[in-house]
Amino acid sequence: MMILEELLQEIDGMDSYKRYGKVKRVIGLMIESKGPESSIGDVCNIIIDRKKRRVVQAEVVGFRDEHVILMPFTDIQDIGPGCMVEATNHPLEIKIGEGLRGMVLDAMGNPLDPTVEMPIGLGRYPTDQAPPNPMTRPSITEELEVGVKIIDGLLTVGKGQRIGIFAGSGVGKSTLLGMIARNTFADINVIALIGERGREVRDFLERDLGAEGLKRSIIVVATSDQPALMRIKGAYTATAIAEFFRDAGYNVMLMMDSVTRFAMAQREVGLAIGEPPTTKGYTPSVFSMLPKLLERTGTNEHGSITAFYTVLVDGDDMNEPIADTVRGILDGHFVLDRELANKGQYPAINVLKSVSRVMNNIVSKDHKQAAEYMREKLSKYYQAEDLINIGAYKRGTSREIDDAIGAFPTIIQFLKQDVESKWSFTQTKTELINLMK
């Protein structure tokens, strides 16, 4: 009887009407329609061919003079004045489940390869979620082994930490992500390629990630040629998949390349609906959406999402608006230095400009002391590097600089690592402590 009563209440609360509107005009990326009644974030179906039921999905992004402003998920070539617009009265939902492991998906959560069928037994899950309550977030107390010496040794990452990888183009962000994905022991990897070149997607899967990495990963792809809304939804879809597995009790690794292209896509949407451009042309909605996206990852009472976000910095300027905003939100940042890359040091992480905000809370005392000592030696050497290179420094002038010069080749050898090699956390820690002795 209780179940029957609940069902009757559900039926009474259902809206039995379908609401329609009509396309009035198309301006650039935006579609204006007269009706239907809907809310921001709702998905609408624009019916192109009633007989064949051909539809284009679009999202409500704003309102203007009693008109609904829609942005389509796909191309708008066949849309014209008078096309019917059907309201669904709910936001975008995707299908998620264990069967997605090893699959490559588009921003809507569908297989990117048209020859691959969707697994059965998946449940529906909304892409837009609220971040966990700060009071329910457990502290980060356990280190995460990523298999890269410079990170495990000097910039140790914790389970549930959120890290930004900052670099200009062509310095090795994607290659470093591939190394971390292959070497890290996480229950599942979720990798979002947002705004990437179409050519690079397969290269990343085959060369950087590899067959072993793909088996325990779910890849979400929204290439640069797709509409801005698809690039935004790709980031939300990947985050929602990671949240689903975190809530199931897994330790998840989320990688997003790149946050900058997500911000650029939101800038396109904001300018199209009439937002004023502010800092370097970015609209206010960009700076409100970034924390909403980035705060969704991390720990909660069920599991954890350790997140790596790449940030493409224009002209290697680490203080440009997006880089500065993201750095202030995340729990640490790795700066890839073009100068180090040109010298053949890989991974080209500048240790002195990078920081892990949770490292001191999760590593042992001897590990922390050894890492600080190595940083100190590097700092001393780089302070005197110009004098050393031109021969103006005389040995014996400063004992600290003499020690730094002696230790420098050994330190650089420790910081370098071949792309295919993997170091365990214990190996890295032992070698670091022995070197600094």
Side-chain angles (χ1 to χ4, degrees), residues 77-90:
Q77 293 173 349
D78 298 326
I79 298 172
C83 285
M84 298 290 288
V85 181
E86 178 187 36
T88 64
N89 296 321
H90 61 75

Side-chain angles (χ1 to χ4, degrees), residues 34-108:
K34 184 72 174 178
E37 186 182 324
S38 53
S39 305
I40 294 286
D42 283 355
V43 174
C44 290
N45 295 321
I46 302 172
I47 303 169
I48 297 170
D49 189 332
R50 293 190 197 181
K51 291 181 181 178
K52 295 182 181 178
R53 187 60 185 175
R54 281 184 60 215
V55 300
V56 170
Q57 285 192 311
E59 183 174 300
V60 179
V61 294
F63 304 96
R64 183 186 294 136
D65 298 332
E66 298 183 358
H67 285 181
V68 179
I69 302 175
L70 302 160
M71 178 163 275
F73 291 118
T74 54
D75 291 331
I76 58 175
Q77 293 173 349
D78 298 326
I79 298 172
C83 285
M84 298 290 288
V85 181
E86 178 187 36
T88 64
N89 296 321
H90 61 75
L92 179 66
E93 292 182 336
I94 56 171
K95 292 181 178 179
I96 305 181
E98 289 282 351
L100 292 182
R101 286 176 187 265
M103 292 193 68
V104 182
L105 310 173
D106 63 15
M108 306 287 285

Side-chain angles (χ1 to χ4, degrees), residues 120-338:
I120 58 173
L122 304 179
R124 300 199 71 84
Y125 197 80
T127 59
D128 199 355
Q129 300 276 347
N133 187 313
M135 297 305 293
T136 64
R137 284 187 186 267
S139 299
I140 298 169
T141 56
E142 189 178 351
E143 69 271 357
L144 181 75
E145 179 184 307
V146 300
V148 181
K149 285 192 290 181
I150 191 170
I151 296 175
D152 284 342
L154 303 178
L155 300 161
T156 310
V157 175
K159 284 184 181 177
Q161 188 175 356
R162 300 161 304 145
I163 293 287
I165 300 175
F166 293 73
S169 56
V171 188
K173 298 184 305 299
S174 298
T175 309
L176 180 59
L177 283 184
M179 280 183 76
I180 294 170
R182 287 194 308 272
N183 297 341
T184 305
F185 182 75
D187 297 326
I188 188 165
N189 297 325
V190 181
I191 302 172
L193 302 177
I194 308 299
E196 285 291 318
R197 305 174 189 90
R199 175 190 62 79
E200 288 186 339
V201 173
R202 191 152 188 174
D203 283 353
F204 177 82
L205 296 177
E206 294 176 357
R207 186 186 63 205
D208 296 332
L209 189 59
E212 284 301 314
L214 184 58
K215 280 181 187 176
R216 50 195 179 92
S217 302
I218 300 170
I219 319 296
V220 179
V221 177
T223 51
S224 57
D225 60 297
Q226 292 182 314
L229 195 60
M230 287 291 272
R231 282 172 269 149
I232 295 169
K233 289 301 172 188
Y236 280 117
T237 295
T239 306
I241 292 171
E243 287 172 322
F244 171 83
F245 285 100
R246 176 183 63 186
D247 292 344
Y250 291 99
N251 290 313
V252 185
M253 172 80 74
L254 172 67
M255 299 179 178
M256 190 175 294
D257 185 12
S258 71
V259 173
T260 308
R261 294 192 177 107
F262 166 82
M264 288 177 174
Q266 180 56 34
R267 177 173 64 183
E268 285 181 45
V269 174
L271 292 173
I273 63 176
E275 278 191 79
T278 52
T279 314
K280 280 200 174 179
Y282 287 101
T283 56
S285 62
V286 174
F287 300 102
S288 66
M289 285 185 74
L290 280 172
K292 286 179 183 176
L293 175 71
L294 303 179
E295 286 288 351
R296 286 169 62 178
T297 53
T299 57
N300 73 358
E301 64 269 30
H302 305 294
S304 68
I305 301 173
T306 306
F308 290 87
Y309 298 98
T310 67
V311 181
L312 184 64
V313 291
D314 292 333
D316 295 331
D317 177 15
M318 296 298 165
N319 295 316
E320 59 97 23
I322 300 303
D324 202 39
T325 302
V326 172
R327 191 167 51 237
I329 297 168
L330 299 178
D331 306 319
H333 54 272
F334 303 158
V335 176
L336 300 189
D337 196 318
R338 194 177 298 277

